């Protein structure tokens, strides 16, 4: 889809895109009018937006939906189209917001300090419509990309929800954890309890920090006199494309790991032994990366679901004894080349082999060759 700046003479498609953006802005304006000054200052607006922006959307944005919409297009191609469409809508929205906004946003946001808890100045409403639109757009884009790469995300699961937020906005987990409770006043706690409960509530308490981060990032678009419109369009497009590319990088990498798990399960002739050897390789250097953890989690799940193999002894291990694995290797008859191949591929799931992984694989290969 060709990207066109607002104001283009292109009719039809461009008019339809602008109308769609206007409709979404109208919905968000009603949402913003329901916010208090405290919601905005504290970042609590983001918690409320998450509750509104994702729950109904995730029911529609399914893998089947994208397969039907883009018949025959590989996942990478669909993701590229979604990023381009989101970037175009972000630019259109930036142009609309800039044409409406007339004040200095930094001063307007600052005026919230003297506002009553329920009062939100009119200028801030325009600013917040822009902020909530771009936030929602980028969060939904990240979710779309996860779905297209067949990475399951449950927005009712606190870990999945925080993962989506971090991927969409490039926020490190440690930043959220260190800063979360500082920005959770009584009013926000009440909002959280209204929309969330149980473990989801615990995770959602960190969301106001994200709201403050995004609000501060948004102010720069309006803080430089004379360049509001082009800067707003540029920043909206830039941050949306960056969010999409980051989500593609994260979720595509995960998709590759999951694809590897399916390949290893399909090719091995020694499923139980392969799982033990894979766990030995993963633990070789004394640390387990996210990619390794995801791979082994998926391996054990596929073994259980496809082959009814559920190794309780392996699952209950605290400390892995290499001699236990070598005993199992030595006791297994026949050609074990599939196990060696699996070990080599497991070792490279998070990058090049390190010294410890090379040593384990060399030992494995030597034992298998002595047969």
């Amino acid at each position: 889809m060709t990207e066109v700046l607002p104001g283009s003479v292109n009719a039809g498609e461009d008019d339809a895109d602008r109308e769609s953006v206007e409709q979404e802005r109208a919905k968000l304006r009603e949402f913003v009018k329901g916010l208090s000054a405290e919601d905005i200052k504290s970042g609590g607006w983001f918690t409320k937006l998450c509750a509104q922006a994702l729950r109904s959307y995730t029911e529609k944005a399914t893998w089947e939906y994208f397969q039907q919409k883009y018949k025959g297009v590989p996942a990478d191609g669909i993701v590229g189209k979604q990023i381009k469409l989101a970037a175009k809508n972000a630019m259109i929205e930036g142009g609309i917001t800039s044409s409406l906004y007339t004040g200095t946003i930094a001063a307007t946001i600052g005026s919230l300090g003297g506002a009553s808890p329920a009062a939100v100045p009119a200028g801030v409403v325009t600013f917040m419509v822009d902020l909530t639109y771009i936030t929602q757009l980028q969060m939904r884009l990240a979710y779309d990309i996860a779905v297209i790469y067949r990475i399951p995300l449950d927005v009712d699961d606190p870990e999945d929800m925080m993962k989506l937020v971090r991927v969409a906005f490039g926020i490190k987990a440690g930043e959220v954890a260190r800063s979360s409770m500082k920005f959770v006043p009584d009013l926000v706690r009440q909002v959280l309890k209204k929309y969330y409960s149980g473990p989801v509530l615990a995770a959602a308490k960190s969301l106001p920090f994200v709201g403050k981060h995004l609000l501060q990032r948004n102010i720069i678009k309006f803080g430089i006199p004379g360049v509001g419109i082009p800067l707003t369009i540029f920043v909206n497009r830039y941050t949306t494309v960056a969010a999409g590319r980051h989500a593609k990088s994260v979720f595509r990498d995960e998709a590759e790991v999951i694809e590897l798990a399916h390949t290893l399960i399909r090719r091995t002739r020694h499923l139980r032994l392969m799982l033990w050897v894979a766990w030995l390789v993963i633990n070789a250097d004394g640390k387990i990366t996210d990619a390794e953890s995801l791979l082994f989690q998926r391996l054990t799940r596929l073994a259980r679901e496809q082959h009814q193999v559920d190794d309780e002894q392996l699952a209950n291990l605290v400390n892995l004894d290499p001699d236990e694995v070598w005993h199992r290797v030595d006791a297994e008859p026949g050609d074990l080349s599939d196990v060696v191949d699996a070990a080599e591929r497991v070792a490279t799931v998070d990058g090049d082999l390190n010294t410890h992984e090379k040593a384990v694989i060399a030992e494995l290969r030597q034992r298998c060759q002595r047969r």
Side-chain angles (χ1 to χ4, degrees):
M1 184 179 293
T2 303
E3 295 176 358
V4 182
L5 288 173
S8 167
V9 295
N10 286 5
E13 182 180 333
D14 297 330
D15 290 341
D17 289 338
R18 184 181 178 89
E19 182 179 354
S20 176
V21 171
E22 291 276 22
Q23 289 175 354
E24 196 61 46
R25 278 176 50 84
K27 294 178 185 177
L28 289 169
R29 178 171 289 275
E30 292 304 309
F31 167 78
V32 169
K33 287 180 178 179
L35 298 175
S36 69
E38 184 63 30
D39 287 333
I40 297 173
K41 289 188 297 182
S42 69
W45 65 271
F46 183 73
T47 306
K48 289 186 174 183
L49 183 66
C50 286
Q52 171 176 299
L54 290 175
R55 295 194 181 278
S56 60
Y57 182 78
T58 57
E59 296 175 2
K60 302 174 184 177
T62 63
W63 184 78
E64 290 78 12
Y65 165 79
F66 289 110
Q67 286 294 299
Q68 181 66 27
K69 183 177 180 180
Y70 300 107
K71 285 185 178 180
V73 180
D76 285 350
I78 299 175
V79 167
K81 288 178 177 293
Q82 289 301 110
I83 293 174
K84 186 175 290 188
L85 176 62
K88 179 178 182 179
N89 288 341
M91 294 170 70
I92 293 173
E93 197 284 332
I96 295 171
T97 294
S98 296
S99 66
L100 294 174
Y101 192 78
T102 57
T104 304
I105 191 61
T108 308
I109 290 293
S111 70
L112 284 174
S116 66
V120 177
V124 176
V125 172
T126 299
F127 171 80
M128 287 302 299
V129 170
D130 173 70
L131 176 56
T132 55
Y133 181 94
I134 294 301
T135 299
Q136 177 176 272
L137 179 72
Q138 293 174 2
M139 192 156 45
R140 287 178 173 179
L141 175 60
Y143 183 83
D144 289 347
I145 292 171
V147 169
I148 293 166
Y149 284 122
R150 309 198 76 168
I151 304 298
L153 290 178
D154 180 0
V155 295
D156 290 321
D157 183 291
E159 290 188 9
D160 282 0
M161 183 63 194
M162 291 311 302
K163 176 180 180 179
L164 177 63
V165 169
R166 290 195 299 268
V167 171
F169 305 113
I171 297 173
K172 298 178 181 178
E175 290 176 341
V176 175
R178 286 193 300 271
S179 307
S180 59
M181 295 310 296
K182 187 188 304 182
F183 303 120
V184 188
D186 290 339
L187 178 62
V188 178
R189 290 194 183 96
Q190 294 171 15
V191 171
L192 291 172
K193 289 178 181 178
K194 180 179 179 181
Y195 289 100
Y196 300 96
S197 60
V200 182
L201 172 62
K205 286 180 178 178
S206 59
L207 294 180
F209 161 71
V210 182
K212 288 182 71 72
H213 166 80
L214 296 174
L215 185 144
Q216 292 163 0
R217 187 182 76 174
N218 212 52
I219 287 176
I220 191 174
K221 294 190 297 189
F222 303 91
I224 304 176
V227 294
I229 292 179
L231 185 62
T232 302
I233 293 172
F234 171 78
V235 173
N236 279 9
R237 182 188 186 283
Y238 176 83
T239 58
T240 300
V241 171
R245 288 176 177 171
H246 179 60
K248 177 181 179 180
S249 173
V250 172
F251 293 129
R252 193 181 194 282
D253 285 350
E254 289 193 15
E256 288 182 346
V257 172
I258 292 172
E259 185 175 73
L260 173 59
H262 280 271
T263 299
L264 295 181
I265 291 291
R266 185 175 65 253
R267 291 182 178 178
T268 188
R269 301 182 299 275
H270 307 85
L271 184 51
R272 287 183 183 273
L273 179 61
M274 186 270 285
L275 292 176
W276 280 85
V277 169
W279 192 236
L280 178 63
V281 172
I282 289 172
N283 283 270
D285 57 2
K287 57 184 179 181
I288 302 175
T289 65
D290 289 342
E292 291 173 331
S293 178
L294 174 62
L295 174 61
F296 198 75
Q297 181 184 30
R298 192 52 64 111
L299 284 173
T300 54
R301 175 179 169 180
L302 291 173
R304 183 172 59 253
E305 293 177 351
Q306 296 183 5
H307 301 279
Q308 293 72 54
V309 172
D310 192 359
D311 196 320
E312 292 188 8
Q313 185 178 354
L314 179 58
N316 293 329
L317 276 181
V318 176
N319 294 314
L320 176 62
D321 182 0
D323 289 339
E324 169 70 19
V325 181
W326 298 138
H327 174 74
R328 289 171 177 270
V329 170
D330 293 341
E332 190 73 38
D335 178 14
L336 297 182
S337 58
D338 60 309
V339 178
V340 175
D341 177 66
E344 291 173 341
R345 301 197 67 177
V346 168
T348 59
V349 72
D350 58 348
D352 295 335
L353 277 68
N354 58 48
T355 303
H356 302 285
E357 291 166 341
K358 289 179 180 178
V360 168
I361 292 173
E363 175 75 10
L364 174 65
R365 188 179 292 110
Q366 187 178 39
R367 287 175 180 270
C368 292
Q369 287 174 347
R370 287 204 301 260
R371 308 178 156 277

